[in-house]
Amino acid sequence: MNVSSSHSTTESSDFTTAPDSFALSLDRGRLPRHIAVVMDGNGRWAKARHLPRSIGHQRGRRAVRRLIELASRAQIPVLTLFAFSSENWSRPPEEVEALMGLFAYALERDMDELHAHAVRIRFIGDREPLSARIRTLMIQAEQQTEYNTGLNLLIAVSYGGQWDILHAAKQLASAVLEGVIRLDDDPAALRLVFEQNLSTATYPPVDLFIRTGGEQRVSNFLLWQLAYAELYFTDCLWPGFDEAHFRDALQWYAARERRFGGLDE
Ligand code: IPE
Ligand code: IPE
Ligand code: MG
C-alpha cells in the first residue's frame, strides 16, 4: 500500500503482496519483539482542520490499519495499541459514545481482513464497563483469530497499567491464600506467578514504546511491561502516522544501545 491511498475514502485492503521495499529497508537483526503504541493526537489533528474530534478518531482508525499492515510485513512478533484508557471514561459522554461506536464498527469491518492475514487478536483491559455488544464482538474476534500464527495484536481498551498490576497482585494474593505459593518462596517464582497474571502474560516485555502527539508521558499504559523499553516520542499526530514515521522509529530503535543495567549489550 502506498501512503497516498491511505488518504482515499475507499476501504480497500491495507495489506499488500507487492515486493516489500519497507520490510527490505529494515535491519532484521535489530527489530523490536514487542512494540507498544500510544496513539495520541486524533482530536488535535481534527481541530487543526476545523473538523469534529470524531473525524480525527475515524482517521485514526486508518492509521491503525496501516500500522498493523506494516508491522505484519516487518514480521514484528507483538504489537500493542492503546485504543482507550481507563481514564478516557472521564471524557464527555458523546466522545465516549463516538469512540465506542467506532470501535464496534472497526471490529465488524476489519476482522475478516486481519484474520485473512493471520493476525492473532487479543484485547487487554477491564471489560466490565464495555457494552454487551462490544464484549461479544471482542470474544468473536479473539476466537476467530486464536490459531493464527502471524502478528500478535493486543488492543488495549478500557486499559490502565495500574489496573493490570492490581489485578495481577490480587491473583498472586489468592495463590498465596490457596497455598499454591508461599510469600517466602523464591522471589523468581513469585515474580513468575505475578507476571502470568498480567494481561500480557505470554508475551515478551515491551522493547519499543512509541507515543505520537508530542506529549512525553506514559499515561498509565503498560507500566510493568515498559521497565526497559526504549521510549520514542514524535510530534506527529496519530492520524498522520505513516510508513515513513514507522520506519524512522524502527531505525531509531535499531541504533539504541540496550544495557539492561549491565555494561555492554
Ligand atoms: C487519542 O487521541 C485517542 C484516544 C485517547 C482515544 P486524543 O483523543 O487524545 O486526541 P488529542 O490528544 O486530544 O489530540
Ligand atoms: C492516552 O492518550 C490514551 C490513548 C491514546 C488511548 P490521552 O490523550 O488519554 O492521554 P493524556 O490525557 O494526554 O495523558
Ligand atoms: Mg490525547
Side-chain angles (χ1 to χ4, degrees):
M1 186 199 78
N2 61 44
V3 172
S4 60
S5 72
S6 72
H7 296 290
S8 73
T9 52
T10 63
E11 289 275 335
S12 62
S13 171
D14 286 306
F15 286 84
T16 180
T17 49
D20 201 335
S21 58
F22 174 69
L24 288 172
S25 71
L26 304 172
D27 182 348
R28 287 230 55 80
R30 296 183 69 85
L31 285 177
R33 283 191 306 163
H34 185 170
I35 301 177
V37 187
V38 178
M39 311 184 290
D40 194 27
N42 294 349
R44 279 164 284 161
W45 183 94
K47 194 175 177 203
R49 289 159 182 78
H50 308 287
L51 295 166
R53 291 176 61 85
S54 58
I55 303 289
H57 296 313
Q58 285 174 28
R59 295 298 290 251
R61 168 176 163 247
R62 290 193 205 171
V64 169
R65 296 171 74 210
R66 185 161 59 213
L67 179 60
I68 293 169
E69 183 258 347
L70 289 167
S72 288
R73 278 160 59 191
Q75 294 178 300
I76 302 295
V78 188
L79 175 67
T80 303
L81 302 178
F82 206 4
F84 190 88
S85 75
S86 42
E87 288 69 33
N88 289 149
W89 290 111
S90 68
R91 293 193 179 193
E94 52 288 2
E95 171 140 358
V96 171
E97 220 168 276
L99 282 163
M100 290 299 146
L102 182 65
F103 183 44
Y105 178 77
L107 282 170
E108 280 167 347
R109 284 297 288 259
D110 299 341
M111 224 35 70
D112 287 343
E113 178 182 69
L114 295 178
H115 180 48
H117 288 87
V119 175
R120 183 173 184 271
I121 296 161
R122 309 291 306 174
F123 296 94
I124 60 172
D126 180 7
R127 298 190 192 199
E128 240 252 343
L130 297 168
S131 72
R133 176 168 170 245
I134 286 184
R135 289 206 300 248
T136 303
L137 287 167
M138 288 162 77
I139 292 167
Q140 282 170 358
E142 289 176 333
Q143 288 176 345
Q144 184 182 8
T145 62
E146 190 173 353
Y147 299 108
N148 287 346
T149 54
L151 174 72
N152 284 288
L153 176 64
L154 305 189
I155 313 243
V157 182
S158 185
Y159 177 87
Q162 292 175 340
W163 166 86
D164 204 359
I165 290 170
L166 191 60
H167 174 78
K170 281 187 192 166
Q171 298 298 114
L172 178 58
S174 295
V176 171
L177 287 174
E178 286 162 18
V180 178
I181 192 162
R182 292 161 44 111
L183 278 183
D184 56 3
D185 275 350
D186 179 2
L190 287 164
R191 183 192 169 116
L192 195 68
V193 172
F194 177 81
E195 288 190 328
Q196 278 170 347
N197 284 291
L198 287 169
S199 58
T200 49
T202 55
Y203 302 101
V206 176
D207 293 315
L208 172 60
F209 167 96
I210 298 173
R211 181 169 184 144
T212 62
E215 306 294 355
Q216 304 203 354
R217 54 179 172 247
V218 174
S219 296
N220 198 15
F221 199 18
L222 302 156
L223 300 178
W224 177 278
Q225 300 86 339
L226 289 176
Y228 265 102
E230 300 293 329
L231 306 177
Y232 183 84
F233 299 97
T234 168
D235 288 337
C236 170
L237 301 173
W238 175 249
F241 192 81
D242 62 15
E243 179 173 324
H245 292 106
F246 189 43
R247 186 188 287 109
D248 284 351
L250 291 175
Q251 285 175 347
W252 174 86
Y253 174 83
R256 304 302 300 162
E257 188 194 329
R258 305 190 74 196
R259 286 193 288 273
F260 300 96
L263 293 179
D264 297 303
E265 245 190 330

